[in-house]
Amino acid sequence: MTLTRRRFLTGAAALGAAAFGAAACTSPTTANPGRITLWYTSNGLSEQVLGEAVRRFAADKLTPSQVSGELKQRLLAALAGEAYLPDITMLGDDIATYFADTDHFVDLNTLGAAESKPEYLPWKWQAGASPDGFQLGFPVDVGPAALYYRHDLFAQAGLPSEPDDVAAAVPTWDDYFDFGVQAQKKLPGRYLITDTKTVFTYSLAQEPRKYFDRDNHYLDDQSQVRRAWDRAVKAFRLGLTAGYAGSQSQNGESIDRHAAWNSGKELSFVNASWISGELKQSAPATAGKWRVCRAPGGAGNQGGSFLAITKYCPDPHAAFEMVKWLQSPANQPQTYLELGLFPPSPSVYTDPRLLAPEPFFGGQVTMDVFSKTAREVQPVYFSPWDITISDTYTDALTTVESAGKDPEQAWNDARSSVERLLRRQGVLS
Amino acid sequence: MTAILPAPATAPARHAPVSRRKRWRYLPQYLAIAPFFLLFAVFGIYPVLYSLYLALQRWDGVGPMKFVGLENFRFLLSDATFWESIGNTLVIWVMSTVPMTVLALLIALGLNSSVRFKGVLRVAYFLPNVTSIVAMSLVFGSIFSSDFGILNWVLGLVGIDHVQWLTDPWAIRGAISIMIIWRWTGYNAIIFLAGLQALPPDVFEAARIDGAGPVQTFFRITLPLLRPVLLFSVVMSAISGMQIFTESQVLLGNRGGPDGAGLTMVLYFYNTAFADNDFGYGAAIAWGIFVVVVLFSILNWRLVQRPARGQVKETVR
């Protein structure tokens, strides 16, 4: 008995040591050595296109790997440990947070990306490049914003209800607010605006500048931010916002908002193209009653992803061929039809598949609205700190909306906490 | 180490007193306990030390680290958000622990008096505790939904106005507390029940003979005798209360909802490190949480050490 136990212990210890030793010896830089691994998020790339790509690039062993949960967390961990890295990875619209660390990636310009440039929206292409011209991201999709509204309810209230008429009635945010006040008189207890956060976000998305200039200098004159802020506060004061921001989960889903879509409580909202999937899924009973038109205040973009190649990729040229093929104008329509990811290539906007009337939007050709907006979006510099700063401002707005904080006080507090944050991060001295 | 091993006197002549041999004698035992220490070193000590190192750096998670000394800690001390998150955590802890303990005690008393299907009830009460918090938070998200939630619908039936569960700062804290109460009441009830059943029956018999009523018996006999179990539950809830995270995060997102009302210490740490990618400052917050937990534990311990009966009730309440 003693002997067997000892033998067992020794054996177990040896096994444990072997396991540790093995783990220490095999630490590949890329996730699948000898293959080209592509990390993408759920609903980030068309499965059909990926399937074709795997067959097409069988010689280079393309291995797509859908990352569950946050791709960014996994990528940061892999980059920090310089192990198990993907060869191609998807990056979100926070691509600017990687601009300071481009030494982990391949400059797509060195792989001949410039040839592809004319095929894509210039502002989107530019958004994937760091201020010093390092082309980090290859465009995947964009998120042109539009005004979504309930055609049937607008008509019922005797308001303009055809897309062109609505767009003509609300060219600016102020006109939209006036329109909202009017609509609320006729349709009491309903809302035209989701919350102050969306007013702020989409209003700022229409500005040519946000918080930083392209040299990463903090714009001390925040008049464009203040303008978006004042608009949000105005909408709140007029009683036009529904205040759904607080109940939104981190994915932006809101049970109240979904319910309001179904019940017709939310008459309209400004949002990016990608919300249409959620709208269709959450409010199937309202099919045919929605329309889209140009958003008040002009063209803006919210969201959109990129593909990047890490410098650990043994064959960046092959990887770039894959990226280029996956996101080629020929494959973008499929991605749009399958996932609603809006194509970044203007040439795709005339594809007959995308010009088909949409039953959910009452037979409207929504591509007409979105493509016009996508073309008009102004290039804007998105700094590595933009998301945190935006969150600080929208948090403050939500506090005004939900907790009754004085707007002026909230503005001053938000501004000083932004500056404090930037000082801590060494951006401001 | 040798001191706690069997005294050599029991087997004096079996081994030659060669220290070399003696040292290797216990190798199998050391090997047997080694996995824990190895794993603890890799996954316990190393991360702790590394987070201390990280707290002195500025790091976005990708690029090079920049040494900033105690800058992060200096910022932490003047960080209003951090202090608010401590306040939120304590408020939510109090708001959840007090009703939870009372409820659990009532349930335990009910289960202790002869009820049928005791086993089934015990399992039923334990069930919330083993349910995934994420699944639970999603369900509660629709329950608390202000316009279309079940809770507001029920309140409406009784004639109470809608509560903005997920936007009003105090209602948010209430909502999180309700989730914690739901999760832990059954768990504590089972523990209290075990405590109740371990109480000597002769004491109760003596009290009955002396003419004590049920209320008197409860406050004069049951509660004081149950004190160790009650204290255990309060200490356990303090430990878990300091770590409130998932409920807030799933219900309100990384930033804790309007006015940061649901921003707990751990959520603030998570948001800073993993959403804002400010790992250096995140590590500093983690150490701030550590200090708060230590202070809170000392406070708890002091309260637990008080022997007087009057104090017991105060701790419970």
Side-chain angles (χ1 to χ4, degrees):
Chain A
M1 193 64 197
T2 336
L3 193 70
T4 42
R5 188 189 291 164
R6 185 168 299 163
R7 207 177 254 172
F8 167 76
L9 288 175
T10 329
L15 265 177
F20 266 95
C25 292
T26 56
S27 171
T29 315
T30 58
N32 297 301
R35 298 174 161 268
I36 290 191
T37 310
L38 162 67
W39 279 6
Y40 66 107
T41 53
S42 123
N43 289 343
L45 292 173
S46 149
E47 293 295 334
Q48 193 185 320
V49 174
L50 273 177
E52 276 169 45
V54 170
R55 280 190 292 280
R56 191 184 166 94
F57 297 102
D60 292 307
K61 302 196 180 88
L62 171 64
T63 312
S65 160
Q66 196 193 97
V67 176
S68 53
E70 292 256 325
L71 188 146
K72 184 169 191 178
Q73 298 308 334
R74 206 166 131 188
L75 183 63
L76 287 185
L79 284 173
E82 294 199 359
Y84 302 100
L85 276 148
D87 300 282
I88 306 170
T89 183
M90 214 161 173
L91 300 178
D93 67 334
D94 59 347
I95 187 164
T97 55
Y98 300 92
F99 284 167
D101 310 301
T102 46
D103 52 329
H104 287 288
F105 296 92
V106 178
D107 185 350
L108 300 182
N109 283 328
T110 63
L111 304 171
E115 279 174 39
S116 304
K117 187 179 172 180
E119 290 173 18
Y120 295 85
L121 292 164
W123 59 267
K124 175 70 180 178
W125 189 266
Q126 200 186 329
S130 77
D132 48 12
F134 187 103
Q135 192 68 39
L136 174 61
F138 196 89
V140 171
D141 68 309
V142 293
L147 176 70
Y148 293 72
Y149 69 91
R150 281 289 291 270
H151 169 263
D152 58 327
L153 296 174
F154 275 18
Q156 190 189 315
L159 297 161
S161 60
E162 289 309 315
D164 288 339
D165 301 338
V166 176
V170 297
T172 67
W173 285 94
D174 285 330
D175 293 325
Y176 181 43
F177 297 157
D178 291 342
F179 186 87
V181 172
Q182 234 184 319
Q184 267 191 343
K185 270 184 206 141
K186 290 175 182 158
L187 299 161
R190 301 181 199 235
Y191 296 99
L192 276 91
I193 296 169
T194 311
D195 48 32
T196 49
K197 185 177 168 176
T198 53
V199 177
F200 179 84
T201 306
Y202 285 97
S203 181
L204 196 59
Q206 294 161 350
E207 299 280 351
R209 299 181 311 164
K210 295 184 89 174
Y211 309 104
F212 282 83
D213 68 12
R214 281 193 78 82
D215 299 320
N216 274 341
H217 290 131
Y218 182 60
L219 298 170
D220 204 42
D221 165 37
Q222 302 235 308
S223 54
Q224 68 284 359
V225 182
R226 181 70 204 209
R227 197 151 46 232
W229 173 278
D230 286 342
R231 266 178 205 150
V233 172
K234 183 179 177 188
F236 165 65
R237 285 210 167 124
L238 289 170
L240 296 171
T241 58
Y244 290 140
S247 54
Q248 270 170 26
S249 75
Q250 49 189 338
N251 308 322
E253 295 150 346
S254 159
I255 291 145
D256 275 341
R257 193 181 183 199
H258 289 174
W261 285 343
N262 276 300
S263 68
K265 195 172 166 185
E266 186 156 287
L267 288 172
S268 75
F269 59 90
V270 176
N271 218 312
S273 53
W274 37 258
I275 199 88
S276 59
E278 195 181 325
L279 181 63
K280 286 175 195 170
Q281 212 168 22
S282 307
T286 59
K289 295 174 179 167
W290 292 91
R291 300 285 185 280
V292 289
C293 73
R294 205 190 66 104
N301 177 73
Q302 181 66 19
S305 341
F306 298 87
L307 285 173
I309 299 172
T310 64
K311 77 157 190 207
Y312 309 93
C313 174
D315 190 352
H317 286 278
F320 183 68
E321 284 308 310
M322 293 173 192
V323 169
K324 210 162 74 174
W325 187 83
L326 278 169
Q327 277 316 120
S328 63
N331 282 325
Q332 288 171 27
Q334 174 59 30
T335 311
Y336 180 67
L337 294 173
E338 198 176 316
L339 303 167
L341 298 180
F342 201 83
S345 292
S347 62
V348 176
Y349 301 157
T350 50
D351 188 291
R353 279 176 289 171
L354 305 193
L355 290 174
E358 281 205 66
F360 188 86
F361 292 100
Q364 188 187 355
V365 180
T366 58
M367 181 52 73
D368 291 341
V369 176
F370 289 119
S371 64
K372 191 163 179 292
T373 301
R375 282 204 183 89
E376 285 173 2
V377 169
Q378 313 184 54
V380 56
Y381 178 61
F382 207 86
S383 84
W385 306 278
D386 273 24
I387 290 185
T388 313
I389 297 177
S390 276
D391 283 347
T392 307
Y393 281 117
T394 53
D395 275 359
L397 277 171
T398 307
T399 308
V400 170
E401 193 173 3
S402 303
K405 190 168 176 179
D406 172 54
E408 208 46 45
Q409 182 69 37
W411 165 261
N412 290 331
D413 288 355
R415 223 189 134 162
S416 62
S417 67
V418 164
E419 281 172 7
R420 245 171 75 84
L421 178 115
L422 293 175
R423 223 168 279 133
R424 187 183 84 227
Q425 304 217 338
V427 184
L428 289 181
S429 52
Chain B
M1 198 64 208
T2 40
I4 55 162
L5 290 165
T10 50
R14 264 169 61 188
H15 294 284
V18 182
S19 63
R20 246 185 99 83
R21 245 189 101 180
K22 217 173 176 180
R23 202 179 295 156
W24 287 108
R25 222 181 103 195
Y26 300 116
L27 184 67
Q29 283 90 328
Y30 282 123
L31 280 179
I33 57 166
F36 167 77
F37 287 99
L38 281 175
L39 291 174
F40 181 68
V42 173
F43 296 106
I45 297 174
Y46 174 72
V48 166
L49 295 178
Y50 191 73
S51 79
L52 196 58
Y53 168 74
L54 210 53
L56 306 175
Q57 317 281 330
R58 181 186 299 146
W59 190 41
D60 65 355
V62 194
M65 292 184 194
K66 188 177 181 294
F67 181 78
V68 291
L70 294 175
E71 199 49 55
N72 285 330
F73 289 103
R74 209 170 298 145
F75 190 86
L76 185 69
L77 288 178
S78 63
D79 185 356
T81 317
F82 179 63
W83 294 106
E84 279 163 25
S85 75
I86 296 177
N88 284 337
T89 310
L90 293 176
V91 163
I92 293 170
W93 177 70
V94 172
M95 280 173 75
S96 58
T97 304
V98 176
M100 179 196 75
T101 311
V102 173
L103 261 175
L105 201 55
L106 288 176
I107 291 171
L109 285 171
L111 282 179
N112 195 34
S113 56
S114 36
V115 181
R116 293 171 72 193
F117 311 118
K118 221 179 264 185
V120 177
L121 285 175
R122 274 182 225 177
V123 172
Y125 281 119
F126 208 76
L127 216 57
N129 196 248
V130 291
T131 314
S132 143
I133 315 183
V134 174
M136 187 183 123
S137 303
L138 290 175
V139 172
F140 272 88
S142 44
I143 291 177
F144 288 128
S145 161
S146 58
D147 287 346
F148 306 95
I150 300 166
L151 198 56
N152 273 344
W153 177 72
V154 173
L155 289 179
L157 287 185
V158 194
I160 301 171
D161 272 348
H162 278 193
V163 177
Q164 301 292 317
W165 288 108
L166 299 173
T167 48
D168 178 78
W170 279 99
I172 285 175
R173 297 181 187 120
I176 295 170
S177 302
I178 290 175
M179 284 172 64
I180 296 167
I181 293 169
W182 185 80
R183 185 171 163 76
W184 290 101
T185 301
Y187 172 87
N188 283 300
I190 301 296
I191 294 195
F192 290 161
L193 179 63
L196 282 174
Q197 293 190 332
L199 298 184
D202 40 344
V203 184
F204 291 94
E205 213 169 299
R208 208 173 51 239
I209 290 166
D210 286 346
V215 176
Q216 254 177 326
T217 314
F218 175 73
F219 283 108
R220 299 268 169 99
I221 302 199
T222 315
L223 221 46
L225 284 177
L226 213 55
R227 182 170 168 260
V229 181
L230 284 171
L231 291 176
F232 169 78
S233 117
V234 170
V235 170
M236 290 305 283
S237 82
I239 293 169
S240 62
M242 291 297 104
Q243 302 173 19
I244 301 164
F245 165 69
T246 320
E247 286 92 349
S248 290
Q249 202 224 8
V250 180
L251 213 54
L252 304 160
N254 281 340
R255 301 179 69 90
D259 208 12
L263 188 73
T264 60
M265 294 189 294
V266 182
L267 185 57
Y268 185 42
F269 153 71
Y270 177 85
N271 182 46
T272 307
F274 299 107
D276 290 350
N277 293 318
D278 196 343
F279 290 91
Y281 189 54
I285 296 174
W287 281 94
I289 295 174
F290 171 74
V291 171
V292 172
V293 171
V294 166
L295 292 176
F296 197 68
S297 306
I298 293 174
L299 192 77
N300 246 299
W301 184 69
R302 292 293 291 264
L303 286 171
V304 169
Q305 290 300 305
R306 296 270 173 89
R309 209 179 61 199
Q311 297 295 333
V312 175
K313 273 195 255 163
E314 234 175 66
T315 323
V316 173
R317 227 183 287 139

